Amino acid sequence: MRIEVLEVLENHFGKDKDITAESHLMDDLGGDEFDIVDVFVQIESKLGISIPEEETFDIMTVSALCEVVERHVGSD
Amino acid sequence: MLGQIKLVLFFLFLSSIGGALWYVQHLKAENEILTLNNEKLNGAVEQQQAVIEQQLRDIETKTQLNKQLNENNAKLSADLQLANEKFNKVNASGERRDIGNLAIAKPKSIERIEGKREKQRARCFEIAQGSPLTEEELNATKKSQINAECTNIANPNYIPY
C-alpha cells in the first residue's frame, strides 16, 4: 500500500522530490490544498477505496496520509 | 508802504511754513498708511508661501501614495496571475488539474479550501487598503503559513521554493 501511495506522490509532485514519511505535503513537496485533495482522489482510484472526506482534512504529512489510507485498505 | 510789504512778506512766510508743515504731516500720514499696507502685503505673502509649502507637501504625499498604490497594484496583478495558474496547474506527470472534477469527487474538501481562501482574499483587500501586516504574516516563511491569495503583499519574507 505504501508503495502505491509513494507512486501517486511521485507522479504528482515529481520523482526528483525526496519523499519520506516526514515530508510535509506543502512545505517540502510544494503542493497546495488542492494538490492534497487531488492526491487523495488518485489514491482512492488506484487502490479502489473510499476515504470519508472528514478524515482527510488537515492531513499535511506523508506519514499521516499513509495512516489514513492504511485504515481503509482492506476495510472497504 | 514798507510796513505793508513786510506784513505781506510775513504772511507769505507764515503761509509757507504752514504749507510745509501740512505737507510734512500729509507725507507722514501717507507713510503710515503705506507702512500698514506693506505689513499687510508682507503678511499676505507669508500666508501664500505657507499655502504653497503646504501644497508642495500635499503633492509629495500624494506622489508617495500613488507610488505605493502602483506597487500594490503590480503585486496584486502578479498574485492574480498566480491565482489563475492555480486553477490550471499541471502536475509532475503533465496532467492538468481540474478543480471542477475535484469538487464533484470531494465537495466538502473543496468547499473548506474555498472558505479558507475567501478569508484570505478578504485579508488581501484589507492589506491593499493599508492594513498593517501581522507578526504571523511577516514571519511566514513556509508554504503552509502563507496567504495563498496575495503572497506578494501579505508575506514579504516568504521565498517560493
Side-chain angles (χ1 to χ4, degrees), chain B residues 105-159:
Chain B
K106 300 281 181 189
K108 288 179 195 166
S109 300
I110 299 301
E111 191 181 335
R112 198 163 175 266
I113 295 167
E114 276 308 318
K116 183 182 169 188
R117 294 287 174 100
E118 188 59 44
K119 283 180 191 164
Q120 290 182 337
R121 277 192 285 276
R123 179 64 188 141
C124 294
F125 280 114
E126 285 178 4
I127 296 168
Q129 286 169 357
S131 175
L133 297 177
T134 62
E135 282 293 310
E136 199 179 340
E137 286 165 340
L138 285 169
N139 294 333
T141 52
K142 292 181 176 177
K143 195 167 184 178
S144 57
Q145 300 169 332
I146 60 169
N147 181 331
E149 294 297 311
C150 57
T151 314
N152 283 319
I153 62 168
N155 310 108
N157 294 319
Y158 171 70
I159 300 163

Short mmCIF file of all heavy atoms in Angstrom, two decimals, chain B residues 105-159:
data_model
loop_
_atom_site.label_atom_id
_atom_site.label_comp_id
_atom_site.label_asym_id
_atom_site.label_seq_id
_atom_site.Cartn_x
_atom_site.Cartn_y
_atom_site.Cartn_z
N ALA B 105 -15.81 15.12 -6.78
CA ALA B 105 -15.31 13.96 -6.01
C ALA B 105 -15.23 14.27 -4.51
O ALA B 105 -15.54 13.42 -3.67
CB ALA B 105 -13.95 13.54 -6.54
N LYS B 106 -14.81 15.47 -4.18
CA LYS B 106 -14.60 15.84 -2.76
C LYS B 106 -15.20 17.22 -2.47
O LYS B 106 -14.46 18.20 -2.24
CB LYS B 106 -13.09 15.86 -2.45
CG LYS B 106 -12.37 14.55 -2.66
CD LYS B 106 -12.60 13.61 -1.51
CE LYS B 106 -11.86 12.29 -1.70
NZ LYS B 106 -12.25 11.29 -0.70
N PRO B 107 -16.53 17.32 -2.50
CA PRO B 107 -17.17 18.64 -2.35
C PRO B 107 -16.87 19.35 -1.03
O PRO B 107 -16.62 20.56 -1.01
CB PRO B 107 -18.66 18.34 -2.49
CG PRO B 107 -18.81 16.89 -2.23
CD PRO B 107 -17.53 16.26 -2.67
N LYS B 108 -16.86 18.58 0.06
CA LYS B 108 -16.62 19.21 1.37
C LYS B 108 -15.20 19.78 1.47
O LYS B 108 -14.98 20.86 2.01
CB LYS B 108 -16.84 18.20 2.50
CG LYS B 108 -18.29 17.83 2.72
CD LYS B 108 -18.39 16.81 3.84
CE LYS B 108 -19.76 16.15 3.83
NZ LYS B 108 -19.77 14.94 4.67
N SER B 109 -14.25 19.02 0.92
CA SER B 109 -12.85 19.46 0.98
C SER B 109 -12.67 20.74 0.18
O SER B 109 -12.03 21.69 0.65
CB SER B 109 -11.93 18.38 0.41
OG SER B 109 -12.05 17.21 1.15
N ILE B 110 -13.26 20.77 -1.03
CA ILE B 110 -13.10 21.95 -1.88
C ILE B 110 -13.82 23.15 -1.25
O ILE B 110 -13.30 24.28 -1.26
CB ILE B 110 -13.64 21.67 -3.31
CG1 ILE B 110 -12.86 20.52 -3.96
CG2 ILE B 110 -13.57 22.92 -4.18
CD1 ILE B 110 -11.37 20.73 -4.10
N GLU B 111 -14.98 22.88 -0.67
CA GLU B 111 -15.72 23.98 -0.01
C GLU B 111 -14.91 24.54 1.16
O GLU B 111 -14.85 25.75 1.36
CB GLU B 111 -17.07 23.43 0.50
CG GLU B 111 -18.01 24.52 0.95
CD GLU B 111 -19.32 23.94 1.48
OE1 GLU B 111 -19.70 22.81 1.08
OE2 GLU B 111 -19.95 24.61 2.31
N ARG B 112 -14.28 23.64 1.88
CA ARG B 112 -13.45 24.05 3.02
C ARG B 112 -12.25 24.90 2.55
O ARG B 112 -11.94 25.94 3.14
CB ARG B 112 -12.95 22.78 3.72
CG ARG B 112 -12.47 22.97 5.11
CD ARG B 112 -12.43 21.62 5.81
NE ARG B 112 -11.84 21.75 7.13
CZ ARG B 112 -10.54 21.55 7.37
NH1 ARG B 112 -9.73 21.22 6.40
NH2 ARG B 112 -10.08 21.69 8.60
N ILE B 113 -11.62 24.45 1.48
CA ILE B 113 -10.47 25.20 0.95
C ILE B 113 -10.93 26.57 0.46
O ILE B 113 -10.30 27.59 0.73
CB ILE B 113 -9.79 24.41 -0.21
CG1 ILE B 113 -9.18 23.13 0.31
CG2 ILE B 113 -8.73 25.27 -0.89
CD1 ILE B 113 -8.75 22.15 -0.77
N GLU B 114 -12.06 26.59 -0.25
CA GLU B 114 -12.57 27.86 -0.79
C GLU B 114 -12.95 28.82 0.33
O GLU B 114 -12.78 30.03 0.20
CB GLU B 114 -13.76 27.62 -1.73
CG GLU B 114 -13.35 27.28 -3.15
CD GLU B 114 -12.38 28.28 -3.77
OE1 GLU B 114 -12.56 29.49 -3.58
OE2 GLU B 114 -11.42 27.85 -4.41
N GLY B 115 -13.49 28.25 1.43
CA GLY B 115 -13.82 29.09 2.59
C GLY B 115 -12.59 29.76 3.16
O GLY B 115 -12.58 30.96 3.47
N LYS B 116 -11.53 28.96 3.24
CA LYS B 116 -10.25 29.49 3.75
C LYS B 116 -9.69 30.55 2.80
O LYS B 116 -9.24 31.61 3.23
CB LYS B 116 -9.26 28.31 3.89
CG LYS B 116 -7.92 28.70 4.46
CD LYS B 116 -7.00 27.48 4.50
CE LYS B 116 -5.58 27.88 4.81
NZ LYS B 116 -4.65 26.77 4.66
N ARG B 117 -9.77 30.25 1.51
CA ARG B 117 -9.25 31.18 0.50
C ARG B 117 -10.07 32.49 0.50
O ARG B 117 -9.53 33.56 0.26
CB ARG B 117 -9.30 30.55 -0.90
CG ARG B 117 -8.36 29.36 -1.07
CD ARG B 117 -6.92 29.81 -1.14
NE ARG B 117 -6.00 28.71 -1.17
CZ ARG B 117 -5.41 28.25 -2.28
NH1 ARG B 117 -5.69 28.79 -3.44
NH2 ARG B 117 -4.56 27.26 -2.22
N GLU B 118 -11.36 32.36 0.75
CA GLU B 118 -12.23 33.55 0.78
C GLU B 118 -11.78 34.50 1.89
O GLU B 118 -11.70 35.72 1.70
CB GLU B 118 -13.69 33.12 0.99
CG GLU B 118 -14.71 34.23 0.84
CD GLU B 118 -14.69 34.88 -0.53
OE1 GLU B 118 -14.60 34.15 -1.53
OE2 GLU B 118 -14.73 36.12 -0.59
N LYS B 119 -11.48 33.91 3.05
CA LYS B 119 -10.98 34.72 4.17
C LYS B 119 -9.64 35.37 3.80
O LYS B 119 -9.38 36.52 4.14
CB LYS B 119 -10.79 33.84 5.42
CG LYS B 119 -12.10 33.52 6.12
CD LYS B 119 -11.84 32.66 7.33
CE LYS B 119 -13.16 32.11 7.86
NZ LYS B 119 -12.96 31.00 8.78
N GLN B 120 -8.81 34.60 3.11
CA GLN B 120 -7.50 35.14 2.70
C GLN B 120 -7.68 36.29 1.71
O GLN B 120 -6.98 37.29 1.78
CB GLN B 120 -6.64 34.03 2.09
CG GLN B 120 -6.18 33.00 3.11
CD GLN B 120 -5.28 31.93 2.52
OE1 GLN B 120 -5.31 31.68 1.31
NE2 GLN B 120 -4.49 31.29 3.35
N ARG B 121 -8.65 36.14 0.80
CA ARG B 121 -8.91 37.20 -0.19
C ARG B 121 -9.38 38.48 0.52
O ARG B 121 -8.95 39.59 0.17
CB ARG B 121 -9.96 36.77 -1.22
CG ARG B 121 -9.39 35.95 -2.35
CD ARG B 121 -10.39 35.79 -3.48
NE ARG B 121 -11.45 34.85 -3.16
CZ ARG B 121 -11.36 33.53 -3.32
NH1 ARG B 121 -10.25 33.00 -3.78
NH2 ARG B 121 -12.37 32.74 -3.02
N ALA B 122 -10.24 38.32 1.52
CA ALA B 122 -10.73 39.48 2.28
C ALA B 122 -9.56 40.18 2.97
O ALA B 122 -9.47 41.41 3.00
CB ALA B 122 -11.76 39.04 3.31
N ARG B 123 -8.64 39.38 3.48
CA ARG B 123 -7.46 39.94 4.14
C ARG B 123 -6.57 40.68 3.11
O ARG B 123 -6.00 41.73 3.42
CB ARG B 123 -6.68 38.80 4.82
CG ARG B 123 -5.41 39.24 5.52
CD ARG B 123 -5.66 40.17 6.67
NE ARG B 123 -4.41 40.70 7.18
CZ ARG B 123 -4.22 41.95 7.60
NH1 ARG B 123 -5.23 42.79 7.60
NH2 ARG B 123 -3.06 42.35 8.03
N CYS B 124 -6.53 40.14 1.90
CA CYS B 124 -5.76 40.80 0.83
C CYS B 124 -6.29 42.21 0.59
O CYS B 124 -5.52 43.16 0.43
CB CYS B 124 -5.85 40.01 -0.47
SG CYS B 124 -5.07 38.40 -0.40
N PHE B 125 -7.61 42.35 0.56
CA PHE B 125 -8.21 43.68 0.33
C PHE B 125 -7.85 44.62 1.47
O PHE B 125 -7.56 45.79 1.26
CB PHE B 125 -9.73 43.56 0.18
CG PHE B 125 -10.14 43.11 -1.19
CD1 PHE B 125 -10.76 41.89 -1.37
CD2 PHE B 125 -9.91 43.91 -2.30
CE1 PHE B 125 -11.13 41.46 -2.64
CE2 PHE B 125 -10.28 43.50 -3.57
CZ PHE B 125 -10.89 42.27 -3.74
N GLU B 126 -7.88 44.07 2.69
CA GLU B 126 -7.52 44.90 3.86
C GLU B 126 -6.09 45.40 3.73
O GLU B 126 -5.81 46.58 3.96
CB GLU B 126 -7.64 44.07 5.14
CG GLU B 126 -9.07 43.84 5.59
CD GLU B 126 -9.13 42.98 6.85
OE1 GLU B 126 -8.06 42.63 7.41
OE2 GLU B 126 -10.23 42.63 7.26
N ILE B 127 -5.19 44.50 3.36
CA ILE B 127 -3.77 44.88 3.24
C ILE B 127 -3.60 45.89 2.12
O ILE B 127 -2.89 46.89 2.28
CB ILE B 127 -2.89 43.62 2.99
CG1 ILE B 127 -2.96 42.69 4.20
CG2 ILE B 127 -1.45 44.02 2.71
CD1 ILE B 127 -2.39 41.31 3.96
N ALA B 128 -4.29 45.66 1.00
CA ALA B 128 -4.18 46.59 -0.14
C ALA B 128 -4.68 47.98 0.23
O ALA B 128 -4.23 48.98 -0.31
CB ALA B 128 -4.96 46.05 -1.32
N GLN B 129 -5.60 48.02 1.18
CA GLN B 129 -6.14 49.32 1.60
C GLN B 129 -5.34 49.95 2.74
O GLN B 129 -5.74 50.97 3.28
CB GLN B 129 -7.61 49.17 1.99
CG GLN B 129 -8.50 48.99 0.77
CD GLN B 129 -9.90 48.57 1.13
OE1 GLN B 129 -10.23 48.36 2.28
NE2 GLN B 129 -10.75 48.44 0.12
N GLY B 130 -4.25 49.31 3.11
CA GLY B 130 -3.36 49.94 4.09
C GLY B 130 -3.29 49.28 5.45
O GLY B 130 -2.60 49.79 6.33
N SER B 131 -3.99 48.17 5.63
CA SER B 131 -3.92 47.50 6.93
C SER B 131 -2.51 46.96 7.17
O SER B 131 -1.92 46.35 6.29
CB SER B 131 -4.93 46.33 6.96
OG SER B 131 -4.79 45.61 8.15
N PRO B 132 -1.94 47.20 8.36
CA PRO B 132 -0.57 46.72 8.61
C PRO B 132 -0.52 45.19 8.69
O PRO B 132 -1.51 44.56 9.08
CB PRO B 132 -0.21 47.36 9.95
CG PRO B 132 -1.49 47.69 10.59
CD PRO B 132 -2.50 47.93 9.51
N LEU B 133 0.64 44.63 8.33
CA LEU B 133 0.79 43.17 8.37
C LEU B 133 0.95 42.70 9.81
O LEU B 133 1.54 43.39 10.63
CB LEU B 133 2.02 42.75 7.56
CG LEU B 133 1.99 43.07 6.06
CD1 LEU B 133 3.31 42.64 5.41
CD2 LEU B 133 0.83 42.37 5.38
N THR B 134 0.41 41.52 10.10
CA THR B 134 0.53 40.96 11.44
C THR B 134 1.89 40.27 11.57
O THR B 134 2.55 40.00 10.56
CB THR B 134 -0.58 39.92 11.70
OG1 THR B 134 -0.40 38.85 10.76
CG2 THR B 134 -1.95 40.53 11.54
N GLU B 135 2.27 39.97 12.81
CA GLU B 135 3.53 39.26 13.06
C GLU B 135 3.54 37.92 12.31
O GLU B 135 4.53 37.53 11.73
CB GLU B 135 3.70 39.01 14.56
CG GLU B 135 4.16 40.22 15.34
CD GLU B 135 5.57 40.65 15.00
OE1 GLU B 135 6.47 39.79 14.99
OE2 GLU B 135 5.77 41.84 14.69
N GLU B 136 2.36 37.26 12.38
CA GLU B 136 2.22 35.94 11.74
C GLU B 136 2.48 36.06 10.23
O GLU B 136 3.16 35.21 9.63
CB GLU B 136 0.80 35.43 12.00
CG GLU B 136 0.64 33.95 11.82
CD GLU B 136 -0.78 33.50 12.10
OE1 GLU B 136 -1.53 34.24 12.79
OE2 GLU B 136 -1.14 32.43 11.63
N GLU B 137 1.92 37.11 9.63
CA GLU B 137 2.10 37.32 8.19
C GLU B 137 3.56 37.65 7.86
O GLU B 137 4.11 37.16 6.87
CB GLU B 137 1.18 38.43 7.70
CG GLU B 137 -0.27 38.00 7.63
CD GLU B 137 -1.25 39.16 7.51
OE1 GLU B 137 -0.88 40.31 7.85
OE2 GLU B 137 -2.39 38.93 7.10
N LEU B 138 4.15 38.47 8.71
CA LEU B 138 5.55 38.86 8.47
C LEU B 138 6.50 37.68 8.65
O LEU B 138 7.50 37.57 7.95
CB LEU B 138 5.94 40.00 9.43
CG LEU B 138 5.38 41.38 9.10
CD1 LEU B 138 5.61 42.33 10.27
CD2 LEU B 138 6.04 41.95 7.85
N ASN B 139 6.18 36.80 9.60
CA ASN B 139 7.08 35.69 9.90
C ASN B 139 6.84 34.45 9.04
O ASN B 139 7.55 33.46 9.19
CB ASN B 139 6.95 35.30 11.39
CG ASN B 139 7.45 36.42 12.29
OD1 ASN B 139 8.29 37.22 11.89
ND2 ASN B 139 6.91 36.49 13.49
N ALA B 140 5.84 34.51 8.17
CA ALA B 140 5.52 33.33 7.35
C ALA B 140 6.63 33.07 6.34
O ALA B 140 6.92 33.91 5.50
CB ALA B 140 4.19 33.55 6.63
N THR B 141 7.26 31.90 6.46
CA THR B 141 8.33 31.55 5.52
C THR B 141 8.06 30.20 4.86
O THR B 141 8.78 29.79 3.96
CB THR B 141 9.70 31.49 6.23
OG1 THR B 141 9.57 30.63 7.36
CG2 THR B 141 10.16 32.87 6.69
N LYS B 142 7.00 29.49 5.36
CA LYS B 142 6.67 28.19 4.78
C LYS B 142 5.37 28.30 3.98
O LYS B 142 4.51 29.13 4.30
CB LYS B 142 6.52 27.14 5.88
CG LYS B 142 7.81 26.82 6.58
CD LYS B 142 7.60 25.77 7.63
CE LYS B 142 8.93 25.39 8.26
NZ LYS B 142 8.75 24.42 9.34
N LYS B 143 5.23 27.43 3.02
CA LYS B 143 4.06 27.48 2.14
C LYS B 143 2.76 27.28 2.93
O LYS B 143 1.73 27.87 2.59
CB LYS B 143 4.18 26.41 1.05
CG LYS B 143 3.22 26.64 -0.08
CD LYS B 143 3.54 25.79 -1.29
CE LYS B 143 2.59 26.15 -2.42
NZ LYS B 143 2.88 25.39 -3.63
N SER B 144 2.83 26.46 3.96
CA SER B 144 1.62 26.19 4.75
C SER B 144 1.23 27.39 5.62
O SER B 144 0.16 27.40 6.22
CB SER B 144 1.82 24.96 5.63
OG SER B 144 2.94 25.16 6.48
N GLN B 145 2.11 28.39 5.71
CA GLN B 145 1.84 29.54 6.59
C GLN B 145 1.37 30.78 5.82
O GLN B 145 0.93 31.75 6.42
CB GLN B 145 3.11 29.92 7.35
CG GLN B 145 3.66 28.81 8.23
CD GLN B 145 5.06 29.13 8.75
OE1 GLN B 145 5.82 29.85 8.12
NE2 GLN B 145 5.38 28.59 9.91
N ILE B 146 1.47 30.74 4.50
CA ILE B 146 1.25 31.97 3.72
C ILE B 146 -0.22 32.20 3.36
O ILE B 146 -1.03 31.29 3.45
CB ILE B 146 2.08 31.95 2.42
CG1 ILE B 146 1.67 30.75 1.55
CG2 ILE B 146 3.55 31.97 2.72
CD1 ILE B 146 2.21 30.79 0.15
N ASN B 147 -0.48 33.44 2.97
CA ASN B 147 -1.77 33.77 2.38
C ASN B 147 -1.63 33.46 0.89
O ASN B 147 -0.93 34.16 0.16
CB ASN B 147 -2.09 35.26 2.59
CG ASN B 147 -3.43 35.65 2.02
OD1 ASN B 147 -3.92 35.07 1.05
ND2 ASN B 147 -4.04 36.66 2.61
N ALA B 148 -2.28 32.38 0.47
CA ALA B 148 -2.08 31.90 -0.91
C ALA B 148 -2.69 32.82 -1.96
O ALA B 148 -2.39 32.69 -3.14
CB ALA B 148 -2.68 30.49 -1.04
N GLU B 149 -3.54 33.74 -1.52
CA GLU B 149 -4.22 34.60 -2.49
C GLU B 149 -3.43 35.85 -2.86
O GLU B 149 -3.66 36.43 -3.92
CB GLU B 149 -5.59 35.01 -1.95
CG GLU B 149 -6.55 33.84 -1.80
CD GLU B 149 -6.88 33.19 -3.14
OE1 GLU B 149 -7.22 33.91 -4.08
OE2 GLU B 149 -6.78 31.95 -3.24
N CYS B 150 -2.56 36.32 -1.97
CA CYS B 150 -1.78 37.52 -2.30
C CYS B 150 -0.46 37.47 -1.54
O CYS B 150 -0.15 38.35 -0.76
CB CYS B 150 -2.56 38.79 -1.98
SG CYS B 150 -3.10 38.91 -0.27
N THR B 151 0.28 36.42 -1.80
CA THR B 151 1.54 36.20 -1.09
C THR B 151 2.50 37.39 -1.22
O THR B 151 3.18 37.75 -0.26
CB THR B 151 2.22 34.93 -1.64
OG1 THR B 151 1.24 33.91 -1.73
CG2 THR B 151 3.34 34.48 -0.73
N ASN B 152 2.51 38.00 -2.39
CA ASN B 152 3.47 39.09 -2.63
C ASN B 152 3.30 40.26 -1.67
O ASN B 152 4.27 40.90 -1.28
CB ASN B 152 3.35 39.59 -4.07
CG ASN B 152 4.01 38.64 -5.03
OD1 ASN B 152 5.08 38.12 -4.75
ND2 ASN B 152 3.37 38.39 -6.14
N ILE B 153 2.04 40.55 -1.32
CA ILE B 153 1.86 41.69 -0.41
C ILE B 153 1.65 41.26 1.04
O ILE B 153 1.91 42.02 1.95
CB ILE B 153 0.70 42.62 -0.85
CG1 ILE B 153 -0.65 41.89 -0.84
CG2 ILE B 153 0.98 43.26 -2.18
CD1 ILE B 153 -1.84 42.84 -0.99
N ALA B 154 1.19 40.01 1.24
CA ALA B 154 0.87 39.58 2.61
C ALA B 154 2.05 38.96 3.34
O ALA B 154 2.14 39.03 4.56
CB ALA B 154 -0.29 38.58 2.58
N ASN B 155 2.95 38.34 2.57
CA ASN B 155 4.07 37.62 3.21
C ASN B 155 5.39 38.00 2.54
O ASN B 155 5.95 37.23 1.75
CB ASN B 155 3.83 36.11 3.11
CG ASN B 155 2.45 35.71 3.58
OD1 ASN B 155 1.60 35.35 2.77
ND2 ASN B 155 2.19 35.80 4.87
N PRO B 156 5.89 39.19 2.86
CA PRO B 156 7.10 39.68 2.19
C PRO B 156 8.35 38.85 2.45
O PRO B 156 9.30 38.91 1.69
CB PRO B 156 7.26 41.10 2.75
CG PRO B 156 6.50 41.11 4.03
CD PRO B 156 5.37 40.15 3.86
N ASN B 157 8.34 38.06 3.53
CA ASN B 157 9.53 37.27 3.85
C ASN B 157 9.48 35.85 3.31
O ASN B 157 10.40 35.06 3.54
CB ASN B 157 9.74 37.24 5.37
CG ASN B 157 10.07 38.62 5.90
OD1 ASN B 157 10.83 39.36 5.27
ND2 ASN B 157 9.47 39.00 7.01
N TYR B 158 8.39 35.54 2.60
CA TYR B 158 8.28 34.19 2.04
C TYR B 158 9.00 34.14 0.70
O TYR B 158 8.77 34.97 -0.17
CB TYR B 158 6.80 33.81 1.84
CG TYR B 158 6.60 32.52 1.08
CD1 TYR B 158 6.94 31.30 1.64
CD2 TYR B 158 6.10 32.54 -0.22
CE1 TYR B 158 6.77 30.12 0.94
CE2 TYR B 158 5.92 31.37 -0.94
CZ TYR B 158 6.26 30.16 -0.35
OH TYR B 158 6.10 29.00 -1.06
N ILE B 159 9.89 33.16 0.57
CA ILE B 159 10.59 32.96 -0.71
C ILE B 159 10.08 31.66 -1.31
O ILE B 159 10.27 30.59 -0.71
CB ILE B 159 12.13 32.89 -0.50
CG1 ILE B 159 12.60 34.20 0.15
CG2 ILE B 159 12.84 32.66 -1.82
CD1 ILE B 159 13.97 34.11 0.77
#
